[in-house]
Amino acid sequence: MSDRPRTVVAEDQYLLRDGLTHLLAAHGFDVVAAVGSGPELAAALRAERPDVSIVDVRMPPTNTDEGLQVSLAARREIPGLPILVLSQHVEQLYARELLADGTGAIGYLLKDRVFNADQFIDAVRRVAAGGTVMDPEVIAKLVAGNASDPLGALTPREREVLSLMAEGCSNAAIAGRLHFSEGAVGKHTANIFQKLGISASDDTNRRVLAVLAYLGAA
């Protein structure tokens, strides 16, 4: 990834699309395409293969789940293509499918819960770097839609750690949120991996696999 990550913005509302474009440019991103429909997004992802894309869910021509469907198709064609979904809606089925390949570089934020530029830019950078960033409300809705519980062996504290891991928090950030040492977080994460059967030899990022288990998508 270059010093100025190549970025695609997909948002059908002109003012928001333009605002995102200027915000990203001001923080060192090179916006190589800013589009307002699903077909335009599909073409931009194939042509540009960007370092990261910010994608709305509901876009023309269907105004249903066009953004997510195009993102899924692009990730099948270009594995690991970084996508940050920015929407007012949680589309559970497609959100699970987007996460299910286990490769990371995925985010899902709700527009009305992005409270400042630093929060948003940090999320974009983490997704571009291969991380997973999930809004807590998105996590809650995905978990609520999961009838099974793959986490029965985890302690309440381990569940707290895993919940923050699902939000994209680093061990240091989790330690700060829960007010204990980073070493203690490391021990909890090791226990989580062991209880979920995620071995150190897994090629896929272990944190991503743990988050998938938490969301019931593994």
Side-chain angles (χ1 to χ4, degrees):
M1 186 173 63
S2 66
D3 292 337
R4 291 182 59 84
R6 298 174 67 259
T7 308
V8 167
V9 174
E11 165 61 54
D12 65 319
Q13 296 183 27
Y14 168 75
L15 287 178
L16 182 52
R17 183 170 70 247
D18 191 58
L20 286 170
T21 299
H22 283 85
L23 175 65
L24 289 161
H27 284 81
F29 292 82
D30 180 13
V31 179
V32 295
V35 300
S37 71
E40 290 176 303
L41 172 60
L45 293 178
R46 290 191 186 98
E48 301 292 347
R49 300 197 172 213
D51 296 314
V52 65
S53 298
I54 294 90
V55 178
D56 192 10
V57 169
R58 299 186 179 180
M59 301 181 69
T62 67
N63 291 309
T64 55
D65 48 28
E66 196 81 5
L68 271 176
Q69 290 206 44
V70 169
S71 298
L72 283 166
R75 293 258 301 186
R76 287 191 288 267
E77 184 177 329
I78 311 168
L81 184 71
I83 301 286
L84 173 59
V85 177
L86 180 64
S87 180
Q88 293 176 319
H89 313 281
V90 180
E91 299 290 345
Q92 293 189 24
L93 178 62
Y94 291 115
R96 289 179 186 280
E97 189 175 347
L98 196 60
L99 286 159
D101 66 8
T103 59
I106 287 294
Y108 203 130
L109 300 180
L110 297 178
K111 290 177 179 177
D112 60 358
R113 287 175 50 81
V114 176
F115 301 118
N116 56 64
D118 289 342
Q119 174 199 5
F120 176 68
I121 294 298
D122 178 64
V124 178
R125 292 194 185 281
R126 281 192 279 166
V127 171
T132 301
V133 179
M134 303 290 288
D135 185 280
E137 284 198 9
V138 175
I139 294 170
K141 290 186 178 181
L142 293 180
V143 171
N146 178 36
S148 62
D149 181 10
L151 312 176
L154 301 187
T155 66
R157 180 63 81 187
E158 288 164 355
R159 284 174 177 258
E160 281 185 290
V161 170
L162 184 51
S163 174
L164 292 173
M165 202 185 297
E167 292 179 31
C169 295
S170 65
N171 282 5
I174 293 171
R177 292 273 289 272
L178 297 181
H179 306 293
F180 52 68
S181 72
E182 193 170 343
V185 175
K187 290 179 181 177
H188 283 307
T189 57
N191 289 339
I192 290 167
F193 296 148
Q194 181 182 16
K195 290 178 180 181
L196 295 179
I198 301 170
S199 69
S201 63
D202 282 315
D203 292 332
T204 310
N205 185 295
R206 291 194 296 169
R207 293 173 75 93
V208 174
L209 289 173
V211 169
L212 289 174
Y214 180 70
L215 299 176

